[in-house]
Amino acid sequence: MKQSTTTKKPKEIVHIENVERPSPDFPIVGIGASAGGLEALEQFFENVPNENGMAFVVIQHLDPTHVGIMPELLQRTTKMKVVQVSDRLKVQANHVYVIPPNKSMSLLKGYLFLFEPVELRGLRLPIDYFFRSLAEDQMEKSIGIVLSGMGSDGSLGLQAIKEKNGIVLVQDPLTAKFDGMPHSAINAAVIDIVAPVDELPSKLIAYLNHSPGIVPQPENDDNSKTNLEKIIILLRSQAGHDFSFYKKNTLFRRIERRMGIHQINKIPNYVRFLQENPKELDILFKELLIGVTNFFRDTAVWDKLKEEILPELFAELPNGHVLRAWVVGCSTGEEAYSLAMVFKEVSEKFKKDKNFSLQIFASDIDSDAIEVARKGVFNSNLLFDVSAERVSKFFIKDGEQYRVNTSIREMIVFAPHNVIKDPPFTKLDLLTCRNLLIYMEPVLQKKLMNLFHYSLNTGGIMILGSSENENSHNKQFTPIDTKLKLYKHFPNPTSDLLDFPSSFSHRRIQPTVDIQPTKTADNIQNLADQLLLQHFAPASVLINQEGDIIYITGRTGNYLEPAAGKANMNIYAMAREGLRNELPGAIRKAKQNDKPVKLQNIKVGTNGGVQFVNITFQHIEKPDSMKGLIMVVFYDVATPPKASVKKLKPGEQSSVVDRHELELELQHTREELQSTREDMQTTQEELKSANEEMQSTNEELQSTNEELTTSKEEMQSLNEELQTINAELQSKVADYVAANNDMKNLLNSTDIATLFLDKELNIRRYTDQLTKLFKLRQSDIGRPFTDMVTDLNYPEMTEHATEVLNTLVYKETAVSTRDGKWFTVRIMPYRTFDDRIDGLVITLINITKAKKMEAELEKARKRLKENNLL
């Protein structure tokens, strides 16, 4: 995403890279909001101290065609300087930065850069875009906050921040005007703080002020190591997972983060807190898993896989080969689905020459993540890195979400699995383990490399994360591309003997003793176990209740074979002749009984011959992860000896005839049963055909639903923009009301009668004092003022008003009223801010007292003149 954007402005990017700028040493807080966000932002900044030592970057969904006034609105709620971002703007502490309309924004070494908006199928996700860049730039110092809004923008960005060990905060959905974005964020990541918006600032500041600082040199602090081991024990008891071989610095940083959230300064106090709060153990467990993933992560890896690796692999494999892949640490399934999509694209190119199928085993220790992966349903923002072509080809619109289509979903088996202690998947052609090994210590990395080497076929492909390396030290893998972390299995006979994962789960925690290499005796025992499994253990398959084969041990080709047509890993479909009639009844009995069910001397047709076999069926009850599965074990037996031929006596001939008749009857019964089964299969095919027709109808309805959903999304996006504009307009209206009240009170306080007229001499506004001279009511606004009855002796008023409009020269006249009062009438042009004449302003100043004094002075002058005093 960034690469495609930066190509538009190469000069700026080159200029920035050539200048070394240290990242700012103060926290940069990204705040994402949408509908209802203005109110939430105002409440947030009202509770932020002016001198807080942080910089805040606000990413609000704005109408791209509307000139935003967000900075002016937020400036009223805080004394921090609020500015609208311009390109290449340096971030400073105690400032608030607001994204401009119709832009995407990124952060690099403390500078904000603007780009043309990035759209995903018509949706803009500016919050995710900025949060991702914030995580990459600020790493563990990144802080992301999601406030009120509709949709799911911001969820992916918070995941990126959590991956870098940053802190994420979300407004409590119960207090949000629109709870879509807060709910989506809470479901997408482990949120550090969820609170009402007015409490978020204080909680954030409290966290930053109470960072316990336990990470520095923990290996030299025996007390810290002891308490860390106690936390590992509590986690193992609660979640069943042992973190003993995880990197201690990673564990300390995650623990420190949780201590900061709860404002706990000492690690022994946090151990006590964990003992008293099992829910906190679950949260810490989720924190340590760091289940962050997305579709087609590291695009270059998937391009290499599609263009070179898989085509070369297909060229070497025989037609009809079933590839097996294992995605270790699949989290919510995006990587497994990405692999399935790439395989589908490549296999279609080889379809004319060869047909391949792929079985993907995707595993993760987090059962909640596995449940999400099994559903195969994703929000639109999670498909940000998926091309529109792939979305239309491999996904089905399901309301506001996208569902993986059936062809992709059926390729993958999701299962909870602990790679450290559970048996591995084997006979693999492809294995991916990305961004898991970086959290483990070298001794565990090495053991997992041996495990992966054992699991892969010769020439199999292993893919690691961008920060990981092949760590076997025995040339077990040949590098294909060291930059992209692609490796090929190398059959090295001198490689380390394999320690099966179960050895890890029983290892004691020894905090004061270094881990010693595995003893030779243990290796010999494991090797012996391995040889027994490979060469002497009977062939077996593990099936589910429907007969689908989940796991195969040994060579089962003498008993099972792939059925013609579409690949089908079902034991009923793969059973050879002789087993097909025996399996259904035996499996049904095994389901109903915990005791083993055995079949003796079953005659099985092989390639041109027959083989006798004993079969044992065992229904599994424990452990819970395998409950309900059935183990089917095959034992080859010698061909039963033929009975010696003797001359029969007359009485024995009848017995032989009866037996022959019974055999014929049994054969006939078997043929009828076979016919019945064929009828049943025909019926099933008809039902499948009807089902396909229903699916076709469903697709048509789905297409109609997609169109309606698209319209709904467009309306939702428009509604969000209107919400923001409406909030701004309401703020402006409030300003205008306040200004109008100020003007009204000002005019009334002057005690000057004022009349405002438009160009047609219609009444626009008047003050209360004017009603004493003109018979006016509120309903008269808009009527010609010449229609109004007045007490003024001023017949030339209309003429003078017209003259002022024409000449733009004001006119002032002294006028009396019928009750003997005097007023100075001043008629002036009404000028707007842009110096445009838009009517008249007529003011009437009461000069009655002055006139009376003038009359009295005149009378006094006359009296003095008459008395010859002047």
Side-chain angles (χ1 to χ4, degrees), residues 316-557:
E316 298 172 358
L317 295 174
N319 184 28
H321 182 80
V322 179
L323 286 89
R324 292 165 59 87
W326 182 14
V327 179
V328 184
C330 68
S331 189
T332 49
E334 285 89 333
E335 184 166 315
Y337 288 121
S338 299
L339 178 60
M341 285 184 269
V342 169
F343 171 84
K344 197 77 172 177
E345 292 171 345
V346 177
S347 62
E348 288 177 355
K349 297 180 181 179
F350 283 78
K351 200 169 186 180
K352 294 181 180 179
D353 302 321
K354 295 181 179 180
N355 286 320
F356 297 102
S357 59
L358 175 65
Q359 179 68 67
I360 301 175
F361 303 98
S363 65
D364 197 277
I365 192 175
D366 188 352
S367 57
D368 293 336
I370 288 294
E371 287 301 318
V372 174
R374 283 173 175 164
K375 294 177 181 177
V377 179
F378 301 93
N379 290 329
S380 57
N381 66 320
L382 296 177
L383 305 182
F384 192 87
D385 298 310
V386 185
S387 66
E389 179 183 357
R390 282 173 171 159
V391 170
S392 62
K393 186 176 181 180
F394 300 119
F395 291 86
I396 300 171
K397 196 72 179 296
D398 187 1
E400 296 182 359
Q401 298 176 312
Y402 288 84
R403 182 183 298 275
V404 177
N405 67 21
T406 306
S407 64
I408 297 297
R409 179 61 187 87
E410 289 181 347
M411 296 167 65
I412 309 173
V413 175
F414 290 100
H417 180 275
N418 189 337
V419 69
I420 299 177
K421 68 177 184 179
D422 292 336
F425 297 94
T426 58
K427 299 182 179 179
L428 304 173
D429 300 290
L430 191 66
L431 185 149
T432 73
C433 181
R434 307 181 70 201
N435 301 315
L436 174 65
L437 300 177
I438 56 175
Y439 303 111
M440 298 176 176
E441 292 184 345
V443 62
L444 183 54
Q445 292 179 5
K446 183 178 179 181
K447 290 181 181 294
L448 289 182
M449 282 296 108
N450 293 336
L451 185 73
F452 294 162
H453 187 268
Y454 169 79
S455 298
L456 280 166
N457 294 329
T458 300
I461 305 301
M462 180 177 70
I463 307 174
L464 301 181
S466 58
S467 301
E468 298 168 331
N469 290 295
E470 185 267 331
N471 191 27
S472 63
H473 303 298
N474 286 301
K475 296 182 180 180
Q476 294 177 317
F477 297 93
T478 303
I480 299 175
D481 190 320
T482 54
K483 181 179 179 181
L484 299 181
K485 310 302 180 184
L486 295 168
Y487 301 89
K488 178 178 286 189
H489 178 281
F490 182 75
N492 186 359
T494 63
S495 62
D496 288 349
L497 298 176
L498 175 68
D499 275 348
F500 281 94
S502 57
S503 64
F504 294 126
S505 61
H506 303 295
R507 189 184 294 270
R508 282 190 172 185
I509 297 175
Q510 299 178 355
T512 58
V513 181
D514 292 337
I515 300 172
Q516 299 296 330
T518 307
K519 294 181 180 179
T520 305
D522 294 337
N523 284 337
I524 292 176
Q525 179 182 355
N526 289 330
L527 180 59
D529 293 341
Q530 181 182 348
L531 291 173
L532 284 172
L533 286 172
Q534 290 180 349
H535 300 287
F536 302 102
S540 64
V541 294
L542 185 66
I543 63 174
N544 61 17
Q545 294 282 323
E546 288 73 34
D548 295 326
I549 298 175
I550 297 174
Y551 193 79
I552 300 175
T553 302
R555 297 182 178 274
T556 59

Side-chain angles (χ1 to χ4, degrees), residues 576-588:
R576 286 184 177 270
E577 183 181 356
L579 285 180
R580 296 169 188 164
N581 299 330
E582 306 293 343
L583 287 178
I587 292 176
R588 185 168 56 254

